[in-house]
Amino acid sequence: MARYNYLTARSWAARQFSSTPLSRPWTNNPHPVLAVSQSRLVAIAGQTIESFAFVPPKSTYRGGGTGIFHEGRGFMTTGRDLSRDVTGVVFLPDNPVFGGQDNTLAISRADGKLMRVHLTKQPATVDPDQRSGRQPQQVGVTTSAHYTHPSQHITHLSSSKDSLLVISFKSSYATATPEPGQQNAVQQGEAAFYVSSRYPWAQPETITVPGKPRSGYLSLSASMPFVAVGSSFHTSSASKDRPSSPLTIHGLTPSSLHQQPMAYLTGSSPKRSSAVYAISPASPSSPFGNSPQVVISGWFDGRVRVHDLRLAARTNNTPGPPSLSPVLMFNDPWLDSSVYSLGMGGGHGGYIVAGMGQHGIVAIYDARNAMAPSMKKSTASGCSAYSPNGHRTPVFSLQVESARIFGATNVAFMFDFGPDEYEGTSRRGVKNDCVIYPHAVRAVTEYT
């Protein structure tokens, strides 16, 4: 294992990996979502679900050269109803009644439905695959519970331990201004905290969020548990009591989720509107320390910002919740694109990975070498790479492990940094080197 970790870390440092598409292209332009457990990867695009099993080390399973194989495909519903498209998926602790094989999921839909489902394997009626000789499988989906949630569009679903965080959005209309015959849309969202996924009948703790919420992060392991909410927030909505920030931190107790933010995390210039599309915690072995109070966020302006809630750096000196400045900021100076997805991991746990909104680009930043301006591979702080078959779509979802990056554009794909010999067979993917160029990083003292 030590040798494997050493070779993997060396591959990350050298930007050497294999790039492998895992699925066929999805149609109808869905926004796919990913979830990963110890035994499988699940990708859901619209109402199509695909399951990929991880192959144990040294396995000689045919077709499993990259350590992963396609278990099968299934469909959540029949027909094409956009309101039933899946918007979020997370693994839940397994119930032995349903096999205890990493097959229990929580799934959110665009129509506001939040469900607990279980995956089953069913033999398909088609002929065996010509290349691998395997009999294809169909993935069955059994719904075991519906959670209490209003009928409004769910934009984000995440979990921590046995709890769930659901971010949703609703639009109402007001005629407070106005020119005759015209209405102004009043955007307002909701964050709902479910204490335990085992009790779907229990009412969640909820708060309202100004603007259109798009992302969230639930931290139950922090000394003071909290919920981070990222939204599209316009500067015209700012007030004396609420600074212009689309990223807020709300305190959490066993009995309530606090409406009043405990902190505002700043990012863009106060004169510029922005949005936070993705939020991620730091990896346990990151250079920031094993702290759940480090919040990494991806913004509409294309920057990745790192905030540390343990620090007292403020951008305001007024009473009330503090506005905290980022401690680090990363961006690709050659790409004018938003950050759609985010994760952290890689060799030594020190790499921040961002899925961009254009050309299927994945940006990789070395947080341990953030200020290095050199063009050399050994010192450059970041690089960018094109994902396979995804040059015209955003990277909608990412999952980052120590040796692999899983992503979803119009296909599910994998970047594998692990050594070839660990899996016992040659890789099916194409060997890639990232296009190397410096990624701009500003220190806090230079931030505006």
Side-chain angles (χ1 to χ4, degrees):
M1 180 59 70
R3 179 174 180 270
Y4 171 75
N5 291 336
Y6 167 76
L7 293 175
T8 299
R10 190 173 66 177
S11 295
W12 278 88
R15 281 79 177 179
Q16 294 178 347
F17 58 90
S18 66
S19 173
T20 308
L22 299 177
S23 69
R24 296 178 179 177
W26 295 305
T27 58
N28 299 322
N29 299 317
H31 289 196
V33 290
L34 301 176
V36 66
S37 70
Q38 293 184 350
S39 63
R40 62 168 43 87
L41 168 74
V42 168
I44 305 181
Q47 297 158 41
T48 302
I49 182 168
E50 312 225 23
S51 180
F52 304 87
F54 297 144
V55 180
K58 301 295 184 181
S59 172
T60 57
Y61 187 92
R62 188 172 184 180
T66 56
I68 186 172
F69 73 93
H70 188 211
E71 286 188 302
R73 169 183 291 192
F75 301 93
M76 301 289 297
T77 58
T78 58
R80 177 62 176 164
D81 183 353
L82 294 180
S83 67
R84 296 186 177 185
D85 279 3
V86 174
T87 59
V89 57
V90 294
F91 277 93
L92 296 178
D94 267 329
N95 188 333
V97 174
F98 295 97
Q101 299 177 352
D102 270 347
N103 60 354
T104 306
L105 304 169
I107 288 177
S108 63
R109 297 194 324 201
D111 59 3
K113 299 292 185 182
L114 179 64
M115 305 174 293
R116 184 177 64 205
V117 303
H118 304 275
L119 304 183
T120 59
K121 296 179 183 179
Q122 302 173 349
T125 57
V126 299
D127 295 331
D129 186 273
Q130 295 292 332
R131 290 178 299 174
S132 66
R134 289 190 292 114
Q135 178 71 33
Q137 298 284 322
Q138 288 183 342
V139 176
V141 181
T142 303
T143 302
S144 63
H146 287 266
Y147 296 87
T148 303
H149 192 270
S151 298
Q152 55 192 36
H153 183 81
I154 297 178
T155 58
H156 172 83
L157 171 64
S158 59
S159 65
S160 178
K161 300 180 180 178
D162 189 36
S163 300
L164 297 174
L165 174 66
V166 178
I167 306 294
S168 58
F169 164 76
K170 60 184 176 182
S171 180
S172 59
Y173 293 91
T175 55
T177 48
E179 294 184 9
Q182 290 187 349
Q183 292 180 330
N184 293 332
V186 179
Q187 293 185 341
Q188 181 173 284
E190 181 181 271
F193 170 64
Y194 294 80
V195 176
S196 175
S197 61
R198 293 173 292 177
Y199 309 119
W201 57 85
Q203 293 290 333
E205 297 292 329
T206 61
I207 59 172
T208 57
V209 181
K212 183 177 181 180
R214 296 177 177 272
S215 56
Y217 164 49
L218 174 61
S219 176
L220 297 181
S221 56
S223 56
M224 296 180 63
F226 66 89
V227 165
V229 180
S231 61
S232 299
F233 186 77
H234 197 278
T235 54
S236 62
S237 302
S239 64
K240 181 179 179 181
D241 298 326
R242 179 183 174 88
S244 175
S245 173
L247 183 54
T248 57
I249 304 296
H250 299 264
L252 186 63
T253 65
S255 60
S256 65
L257 176 59
H258 297 171
Q259 174 68 51
Q260 177 67 21
M262 57 186 288
Y264 299 98
L265 307 188
T266 61
S268 299
S269 166
K271 297 182 179 180
R272 181 178 177 181
S273 301
S274 191
V276 175
Y277 288 168
I279 306 175
S280 172
S283 61
S285 57
S286 75
F288 310 125
N290 184 14
S291 173
Q293 294 181 297
V294 175
V295 179
I296 307 171
S297 52
W299 294 59
F300 173 78
D301 60 9
R303 289 172 170 80
V304 173
R305 293 176 170 88
V306 180
H307 292 83
D308 193 338
L309 304 185
R310 299 169 294 182
L311 301 181
R314 299 186 178 207
T315 58
N316 66 334
N317 295 314
T318 59
S323 295
L324 303 182
S325 302
V327 295
L328 281 177
M329 184 166 64
F330 303 82
N331 81 294
D332 181 345
W334 304 106
L335 184 63
D336 184 16
S337 175
S338 304
V339 178
Y340 268 56
S341 52
L342 200 60
M344 188 172 187
H348 306 299
Y351 292 87
I352 297 173
V353 182
M356 308 305 292
Q358 294 180 0
H359 313 305
I361 288 179
V362 177
I364 304 173
Y365 305 97
D366 186 351
R368 300 166 303 164
N369 198 17
M371 303 305 294
S374 173
M375 292 287 290
K376 296 181 180 179
K377 278 190 177 182
S378 59
T379 56
S381 64
C383 64
S384 290
Y386 287 95
S387 59
N389 299 343
H391 295 177
R392 297 183 180 179
T393 65
V395 181
F396 293 105
S397 185
L398 281 176
Q399 295 288 337
V400 184
E401 297 182 335
S402 62
R404 295 180 289 199
I405 299 172
F406 299 107
T409 53
N410 63 332
V411 299
F413 67 88
M414 175 180 68
F415 289 170
D416 189 354
F417 293 81
D420 292 336
E421 59 269 27
Y422 183 66
E423 302 297 347
T425 59
S426 61
R427 289 194 178 107
R428 292 178 295 144
V430 178
K431 202 73 174 181
N432 274 6
D433 282 328
C434 284
V435 178
I436 302 297
Y437 49 83
H439 288 170
V441 181
R442 299 181 186 177
V444 175
T445 55
E446 299 172 352
Y447 175 74
T448 57

